[in-house]
């Protein structure tokens, strides 16, 4: 509710900045400058409100066999399926050079889930990754360009059980030597 009031307040400010010249005490240059600043402020606040509304990018996290914290989003609760994803700051795998994604993972309540997708796990911060082993239980590549920013990957193991690819999966794998 307070976010909505804030949003409405800035909408009113933006509207008032659009007053006609008879009502304004500013010259044209000052008026344009003020409108740009208020518009920028309005956009920033709107973006902040929208990002808070989206909530967490993951549902739970767990360590893999190598002791690396991995983040998961539940995609199908009845079938206990998850996808690998990022943490809320988007830098979960920033320093990782080798990543083995497990077939199964347990949440903090000890419920077991099957990893079936990698989602938006890899982004511009995943610059060090050289070897990636995907889970044998993986079924999908639902992300359009899942490896766009993992240019250093030399070895990628894709399981035979992948049944759907929804994009260009090899774009960005510039250093790939072994598949």
């Amino acid at each position: 509710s307070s976010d909505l009031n804030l949003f409405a307040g800035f909408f009113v400010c933006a509207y008032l900045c659009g007053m006609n010249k008879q009502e304004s005490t500013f010259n044209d240059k000052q008026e344009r400058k003020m409108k740009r600043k208020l518009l920028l402020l309005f956009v920033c606040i709107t973006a902040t409100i929208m990002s808070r509304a989206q909530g967490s990018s993951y549902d739970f996290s767990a360590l893999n066999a190598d002791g690396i914290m991995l983040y998961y989003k539940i995609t199908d609760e009845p079938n206990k399926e998850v996808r690998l994803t990022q943490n809320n700051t988007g830098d979960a795998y920033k320093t990782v050079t080798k990543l083995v994604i497990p077939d199964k993972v347990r949440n903090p309540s000890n419920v077991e889930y099957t990893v079936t997708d990698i989602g938006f796990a890899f982004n511009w911060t995943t610059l060090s990754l050289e070897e990636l082993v995907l889970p044998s239980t993986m079924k999908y590549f639902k992300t359009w360009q899942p490896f766009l920013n993992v240019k250093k990957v030399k070895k990628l193991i894709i399981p035979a059980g992948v049944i759907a690819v929804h994009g260009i999966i090899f774009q960005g794998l510039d250093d790939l030597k072994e598949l």
Side-chain angles (χ1 to χ4, degrees):
S1 176
S2 64
D3 286 341
L4 187 57
N5 290 339
L6 186 64
F7 183 83
F10 282 103
F11 182 79
V12 169
C13 287
Y15 174 77
L16 292 176
C17 287
M19 296 183 293
N20 64 35
K21 289 181 183 173
Q22 291 91 353
E23 296 171 324
S24 177
T25 59
F26 297 108
N27 65 35
D28 286 341
K29 188 175 181 180
Q30 288 173 320
E31 186 175 341
R32 282 194 305 271
K33 190 174 180 180
M34 180 194 273
K35 283 181 182 180
R36 279 195 298 264
K37 285 182 180 180
L38 284 172
L39 181 61
L40 178 60
L41 181 63
F42 178 73
V43 168
C44 290
I45 290 172
T46 302
T48 301
I49 291 168
M50 296 301 285
S51 68
R52 284 199 298 173
Q54 299 214 359
S56 182
S57 60
Y58 66 95
D59 292 318
F60 67 93
S61 58
L63 293 173
N64 72 355
D66 298 321
I68 299 169
M69 185 63 71
L70 303 181
Y71 296 84
Y72 300 94
K73 188 77 170 173
I74 298 170
T75 56
D76 187 343
E77 182 61 48
N79 291 317
K80 303 294 185 230
E81 293 181 352
V82 295
R83 71 172 172 253
L84 183 72
T85 190
Q86 266 292 339
N87 61 10
N88 290 336
T89 56
D91 61 357
Y93 315 114
K94 185 176 185 176
T95 59
V96 176
T97 55
K98 178 183 177 185
L99 184 60
V100 178
I101 303 168
D103 296 346
K104 306 265 184 189
V105 64
R106 291 188 179 276
N107 73 1
S109 301
N110 207 29
V111 176
E112 186 175 74
Y113 289 87
T114 303
V115 182
T116 60
D117 189 11
I118 58 169
F120 291 104
F122 308 107
N123 60 25
W124 60 272
T125 66
T126 318
L127 302 176
S128 302
L129 193 62
E130 294 181 7
E131 184 176 345
L132 178 61
V133 180
L134 300 172
S136 63
T137 54
M138 188 163 160
K139 297 181 194 177
Y140 316 105
F141 281 104
K142 290 185 178 178
T143 304
W144 181 251
Q145 296 169 314
F147 305 118
L148 184 60
N149 297 297
V150 288
K151 299 182 184 310
K152 290 185 180 179
V153 168
K154 293 174 179 54
K155 182 177 180 182
L156 175 66
I157 299 173
I158 297 177
V162 173
I163 57 173
V165 175
H166 298 278
I168 306 168
I169 63 169
F170 296 111
Q171 185 173 3
L173 293 169
D174 299 344
D175 290 349
L176 189 63
K177 306 269 188 270
E178 187 179 342
L179 181 63

